[in-house]
Amino acid sequence: MDKTIVKISGMTCAACAKRIEKAVGKLEGVSQASVNFAAENLSVEYDSQKASLDKIKETIVKVGYGVVEEEKKNTVTIPIEGMTCAACANRIEKAIGKMEGVLWVSVNFAAEKATVEYNPQITRLSAIKQTIEKIGYKPLSIEKKTAVDEDRLRKEKEIRTLWRKFIVSAIFAAPLLYLAMVPMIPWLPFPVPRFLEPMHYPLTYALVQTSLVIPIIIAGNKFYTVGFKALLQRSPNMDSLIAIGTSAAIVYSLYSTYQISNGNSHAVEGLYFETAGVIITLILLGKTLEAVSKGKTSEAIKKLMGLAPKTAIVIQEGKEVEVPIDEVEIGDIILVKPGEKIPVDGEVIDGHTAIDESMLTGESIPVDKKAGDKVYAASINTNGMIRFEATKVGGDTALAQIIKLVEDAQSSKAPIAKMADIVSGYFVPIVVAIAILAFAGWLIAGKSLVFALTIFISVLVIACPCALGLATPTAIMVGTGKGAEYGILIKGGEALETTHKINTIVFDKTGTITEGKPVVTDIVTVTGISRERLLQIAASGEKSSEHPLGQAIIREAEEENLGFLTVENFEAIPGHGIEVVIEGMNVLIGNRKLMDERNVSLGELVSESDRLANEGKTPMYIAMNNEISGIIAVADVVKESSVKAIKQLQLMGIEVAMITGDNRRTAEAIAKQVGINRVLAEVLPQDKSNEVKKLQAEGKKVAMVGDGINDAPALAQADIGIAIGSGTDVAMESADIVLMKSDLMDVPTAIQLSKNTIRNIKQNLFWAFAYNTAGIPIAAGVLYLFGGPLLNPIFAAAAMSLSSVSVLTNALRLKRFKPYK
């Protein structure tokens, strides 16, 4: 299955989103289609053998919406030094224009710049620069449009267009409203000129109103083109409601104008031009504010995208050459000076420095880096100068992967959104039906056509499902973006929603609760074997093992400058230890289980073994030729944040358990240090997921926190898998949430962020439903039946616009979320 995201333009409400989902979802080969109204994109999974991306885009266009195409070309502006006249500009244009892959070129002599559009798959930017140099001119540093710039420019253009339409509309709506109000409110300070008085010059009055409403209709023409098109395709949306309501007012007003022209001066009371004009103006204002607010919901992703530097200093043939970031290749040697950003991911080969990785991990303290350490794109080199080898570039860097993950999460839907989607899908047709019934009902009840028309327009205008469509996606976008800001990457709406239900958390011990870098603390031997001899044999045996406890023994032997012995017949025994042959002796190194299975008696070392285990140390038993020779105890230091995080989780009412392959005594000693009561000890790697299943069978919502390859099955089995960013790629791939730093305080922060986001979504949905539930009956005249006021369509339009803006404003409150310290 292929998965892609398609940017969509022209959506105005949740009904539009539902319509696109239905149309694309019906295509053969499409397994899932989800439209995010707030993000204005479609996330679609499809079988490329049965459905094509072109077909999907074609379907979107067919149902009346636009597809925002990704740039398939690069546009670059190259400042050029050395031009002396227009002929120079012409010469450069011709030379670049002849290059294969160059689509368009324009050289501005006055600005001394060349703007080039080219296909990056055919030619490279460096080749264009070389062509300029070959003909005798000097290309300077590049100004290149990035994806984030393109998106920002598109959003800014949309907001500017909406503001312009609103201002034009408001300029004409203000006098139109004033003209309509004067006859009803005679004490207004500025009376209309005598020639515009409706009772004396009704036709002039009507024609002036007609001329004022025309520019407003032109400014809001999109409501009519999109609305009636959707209506004809039997899939009405918000635009359809506005188009029907205002058209009814305009048509009736034009009919009244015709009546006036035939001498019926009383028809002046049937002019509704100001209603249509002010409704369009208010809705344009609401749409403008909505566009501004929607832009703010994705600020986090824009910040991430803007972090990457534009250029890098690459060492080429011993020289420092500044190249655009897109020109950096894997294997390039890159120089980074103090204060500069790391351009791509890589491995330090020379130098020593401290790097601020807070923009990726949320960790404020700079991390020391030396030869062999990894560095990541967009982090800041604080003090030293380093050279590193590029290992990941472009879309493979950690920053690019984070951006992709956040983009996917923001495009996804939470299960809670399904209810709003179902309602939105049926909402508009039901509203149209209610409006028609209310119109007919009041006519039958003996009310005038003008009265019934007022009811009809009010119902249509007040009942827009915008707020419903924005309630969930905006909160998810802000919530996932806020998480990314603090180094908490939540992989989707479903993960975000499920996290707030978690009532049990299982922590892996090694590398999660503890630092994962154990050290040797005690060496106990039997009579006749020296401490150094035991350590040398154990370290030699563990040399071929990658177990962290074994690595601790190796480091201890290296620090004591003990030589390694030749090992024969190395065999790893998963979950137990290793078996090797050294100098003709059969050597077993491992845990108590291994000794018991091989019938090795601990003899005089039983009490020592118990003491070490009770102190929270892990005893590693060494047996030679099936006789116990000694114990090497290894301890793993508890992380500073572990105690605080576990206490915080318990205060939140969450049960905390620890899972480990260590023996029970060691595990319980560590658990006691951090305040955990439930311990799952001596669990083999393959059985961790079964332990999670057992907890789930008790009816618990379980989160698993781990960092290793052996945690991956348990992370996948848990309701929510939480991987620590310092862990393995496999663990991070299996998880629903990734913590970019190894601070366990991010676990309660992630849960609290989920709780706040879901609470925000519920608030949004409540007010959206409450608004429509209350608004439609009021607009239909229920209050009027009991002696109350009749809702003016203008106030209905204002209320509708404010409902969407209020939902967005509430979602933006999540930006104030602060993590636990």
Side-chain angles (χ1 to χ4, degrees):
M1 280 286 179
D2 289 355
K3 186 175 181 180
T4 191
I5 292 173
V6 181
K7 278 275 182 188
I8 299 171
S9 63
M11 291 193 294
T12 55
C13 66
C16 299
K18 192 70 182 170
R19 187 175 172 209
I20 295 167
E21 279 183 5
K22 278 184 179 177
V24 175
K26 285 177 183 174
L27 292 174
E28 187 186 0
V30 173
S31 61
Q32 187 266 340
S34 173
V35 176
N36 186 318
F37 171 49
E40 296 178 313
N41 59 36
L42 162 72
S43 175
V44 59
E45 281 186 27
Y46 63 100
D47 183 346
S48 55
Q49 302 294 319
K50 296 177 182 176
S52 68
L53 187 55
D54 287 340
K55 183 70 178 171
I56 291 166
K57 290 178 179 178
E58 201 180 292
T59 303
I60 294 167
V61 174
K62 263 186 187 174
V63 293
Y65 303 92
V67 173
V68 180
E69 292 290 350
E70 294 290 325
E71 284 289 323
K72 293 183 180 177
K73 55 182 180 286
N74 281 351
T75 302
V76 64
T77 300
I78 310 171
I80 299 174
E81 192 178 278
M83 290 192 290
T84 55
C85 64
C88 298
N90 194 35
R91 188 179 172 206
I92 295 168
E93 262 186 25
K94 281 184 178 177
I96 296 173
K98 286 177 183 175
M99 292 178 67
E100 189 183 359
V102 171
L103 307 171
W104 176 81
V105 59
S106 174
V107 179
N108 186 321
F109 168 57
E112 296 183 307
K113 290 178 181 177
T115 303
V116 186
E117 280 186 3
Y118 67 99
N119 186 334
Q121 294 176 329
I122 298 173
T123 190
R124 293 187 67 160
L125 187 53
S126 55
I128 296 169
K129 290 164 71 178
Q130 284 167 12
T131 299
I132 296 169
E133 285 174 347
K134 274 180 189 173
I135 56 174
Y137 303 93
K138 184 179 178 182
L140 303 176
S141 60
I142 303 301
E143 302 167 18
K144 188 175 178 186
K145 289 182 182 177
T146 63
V148 67
D149 293 330
E150 293 287 352
D151 187 59
R152 179 176 54 80
L153 290 171
R154 186 174 66 81
K155 288 279 171 64
E156 285 175 359
K157 184 182 176 184
E158 180 190 352
I159 291 167
R160 279 198 307 272
T161 302
L162 283 167
W163 271 125
R164 190 167 59 248
K165 287 183 173 184
F166 164 69
I167 290 165
V168 168
S169 185
I171 287 168
F172 289 96
L176 180 61
L177 183 61
Y178 195 84
L179 278 176
M181 291 294 105
V182 166
M184 291 182 276
I185 312 172
W187 44 262
L188 285 171
F190 302 105
V192 297
R194 184 170 172 75
F195 73 92
L196 283 178
E197 286 183 0
M199 300 317 296
H200 296 95
Y201 301 96
L203 185 59
T204 307
Y205 179 76
L207 290 173
V208 169
Q209 284 204 10
T210 306
S211 63
L212 286 171
V213 84
I214 288 169
I216 300 172
I217 293 167
I218 293 168
N221 71 306
K222 190 183 167 190
F223 297 127
Y224 300 98
T225 54
V226 175
F228 284 123
K229 186 177 180 181
L231 199 60
L232 289 170
Q233 293 180 340
R234 291 181 298 177
S235 187
N237 60 7
M238 183 209 86
D239 291 328
S240 305
L241 297 177
I242 296 162
I244 297 167
T246 55
S247 293
I250 291 163
V251 169
Y252 186 76
S253 301
L254 288 171
Y255 174 71
S256 296
T257 304
Y258 170 73
Q259 292 280 80
I260 294 166
S261 69
N262 284 342
N264 181 7
S265 60
H266 292 292
V268 77
E269 294 174 5
L271 295 178
Y272 260 76
F273 287 123
E274 87 285 350
T275 300
V278 175
I279 284 171
I280 290 170
T281 304
L282 286 171
I283 291 167
L284 281 171
L285 174 62
K287 282 285 157 195
T288 307
L289 296 174
E290 190 180 299
V292 172
S293 298
K294 276 160 73 176
K296 289 179 181 176
T297 61
S298 56
E299 273 179 5
I301 193 82
K302 288 176 185 174
K303 280 181 190 173
L304 283 171
M305 293 173 97
L307 287 175
K310 303 291 185 285
T311 60
I313 297 173
V314 177
I315 308 296
Q316 293 179 350
E317 297 175 0
K319 295 178 183 177
E320 295 177 16
V321 181
E322 188 173 0
V323 301
I325 198 75
D326 293 342
E327 297 285 325
V328 177
E329 306 283 354
I330 291 173
D332 281 352
I333 304 303
I334 297 166
L335 178 73
V336 184
K337 296 171 184 175
E340 293 181 343
K341 285 184 177 180
I342 305 294
V344 295
D345 291 3
E347 189 173 304
V348 178
I349 56 172
D350 184 36
H352 183 274
T353 188
I355 289 181
D356 178 0
E357 296 180 345
S358 60
M359 64 289 300
L360 297 178
T361 65
E363 180 60 72
S364 57
I365 301 168
V367 182
D368 284 332
K369 301 286 181 179
K370 58 185 185 302
D373 288 340
K374 294 185 187 302
V375 291
Y376 301 98
S379 54
I380 300 169
N381 182 23
T382 58
N383 50 32
M385 187 163 70
I386 57 168
R387 288 190 308 148
F388 73 91
E389 181 182 344
T391 56
K392 290 181 180 178
V393 299
D396 294 327
T397 64
L399 177 67
Q401 292 298 312
I402 290 168
I403 290 169
K404 177 74 168 62
L405 193 150
V406 177
E407 279 181 331
D408 288 348
Q410 293 190 338
S411 299
S412 67
K413 282 189 177 179
I416 197 171
K418 288 174 184 173
M419 176 177 62
D421 285 348
I422 292 165
V423 172
S424 298
Y426 295 103
F427 194 81
V428 178
I430 290 169
V431 168
V432 173
I434 291 170
I436 292 168
L437 287 171
F439 174 79
W442 284 110
L443 280 179
I444 293 165
K447 292 294 180 181
S448 68
L449 181 62
V450 171
F451 184 95
L453 192 64
T454 301
I455 295 285
F456 178 73
I457 296 167
S458 295
V459 172
L460 289 176
V461 172
I462 203 168
C464 170
C466 287
L468 276 176
L470 292 167
T472 305
T474 47
I476 286 173
M477 288 173 78
V478 178
T480 51
K482 200 67 189 173
E485 193 177 314
Y486 293 116
I488 300 166
L489 305 182
I490 301 166
K491 289 188 178 179
E494 190 169 350
L496 186 66
E497 181 173 340
T498 306
T499 301
H500 91 285
K501 300 174 185 173
I502 294 300
N503 52 30
T504 303
I505 295 185
V506 180
F507 285 95
D508 176 48
K509 180 179 81 70
T510 308
T512 303
I513 289 176
T514 63
E515 292 288 356
K517 291 180 181 176
V519 293
V520 172
T521 57
D522 301 80
I523 299 176
V524 182
T525 64
V526 296
T527 308
I529 297 178
S530 70
R531 177 187 177 283
E532 289 74 18
R533 174 68 172 167
L534 186 74
L535 180 59
Q536 185 183 39
I537 289 171
S540 301
E542 293 287 359
K543 192 72 175 167
S544 300
S545 167
E546 293 184 1
H547 195 283
L549 300 183
Q551 294 301 307
I553 293 171
I554 293 165
R555 282 195 298 273
E556 184 69 19
E558 286 173 342
E559 284 173 15
E560 295 188 20
N561 296 316
L562 299 176
F564 293 100
L565 305 172
T566 304
V567 174
E568 301 168 28
N569 302 329
F570 174 88
E571 184 188 347
I573 305 167
H576 292 74
I578 60 171
E579 184 174 7
V580 293
V581 175
I582 298 175
E583 294 181 348
M585 291 185 296
N586 189 67
V587 179
L588 290 171
I589 307 169
N591 57 22
R592 183 74 171 264
K593 276 186 179 179
L594 181 62
M595 299 299 119
D596 291 343
E597 275 190 11
R598 299 300 177 92
N599 297 317
V600 176
S601 171
L602 299 186
E604 61 191 77
L605 298 183
V606 171
S607 59
E608 282 294 304
S609 168
D610 292 344
R611 176 185 66 81
L612 293 168
N614 289 334
E615 290 174 1
K617 299 167 184 175
T618 302
M620 297 278 283
Y621 303 91
I622 297 95
M624 302 179 197
N625 293 331
N626 259 34
E627 293 288 332
I628 191 71
S629 303
I631 300 171
I632 297 178
V634 178
D636 193 1
V637 184
V638 171
K639 288 178 185 174
E640 281 184 34
S641 63
S642 295
V643 178
K644 195 176 174 185
I646 288 159
K647 187 177 180 183
Q648 182 61 52
L649 288 167
Q650 288 166 340
L651 286 172
M652 291 166 71
I654 296 170
E655 182 186 359
V656 181
M658 185 181 80
I659 194 166
T660 180
D662 274 358
N663 68 71
R664 180 157 293 278
R665 281 188 179 176
T666 305
E668 285 178 349
I670 295 288
K672 191 176 180 182
Q673 285 182 49
V674 295
I676 292 176
N677 298 320
R678 187 163 185 172
V679 180
L680 308 170
E682 299 175 10
V683 180
L684 297 175
Q686 61 268 29
D687 292 333
K688 284 187 178 181
S689 61
N690 290 331
E691 292 296 332
V692 171
K693 270 185 194 173
K694 287 176 187 174
L695 289 169
Q696 289 170 326
E698 294 174 22
K700 299 178 187 295
K701 281 282 183 185
V702 182
M704 169 73 191
V705 185
D707 74 327
I709 290 172
N710 60 9
D711 296 324
L715 290 169
Q717 174 61 42
D719 295 286
I720 289 294
I722 302 175
I724 294 181
S726 58
T728 65
D729 289 342
V730 177
M732 291 168 75
E733 190 67 32
S734 306
D736 301 293
I737 297 175
V738 178
L739 308 180
M740 292 302 292
K741 48 184 174 165
S742 296
D743 188 347
L744 288 193
M745 280 305 293
D746 285 345
V747 176
T749 296
I751 292 169
Q752 194 56 47
L753 177 61
S754 170
K755 285 178 185 286
N756 286 15
T757 306
I758 297 304
R759 184 166 63 243
N760 191 282
I761 288 171
K762 286 177 178 176
Q763 288 167 354
N764 286 348
L765 287 172
F766 171 79
W767 288 113
F769 278 120
Y771 161 80
N772 282 298
T773 305
I776 292 172
I778 291 170
V782 169
L783 292 181
Y784 184 82
L785 273 175
F786 297 98
L790 186 67
L791 183 68
N792 188 300
I794 291 171
F795 293 116
M800 187 276 280
S801 296
L802 285 171
S803 71
S804 296
V805 175
S806 65
V807 161
L808 283 160
T809 305
N810 189 48
L812 289 171
R813 284 193 312 113
L814 282 169
K815 290 168 81 74
R816 299 204 294 262
F817 176 83
K818 298 288 181 189
Y820 286 113
K821 296 293 184 187

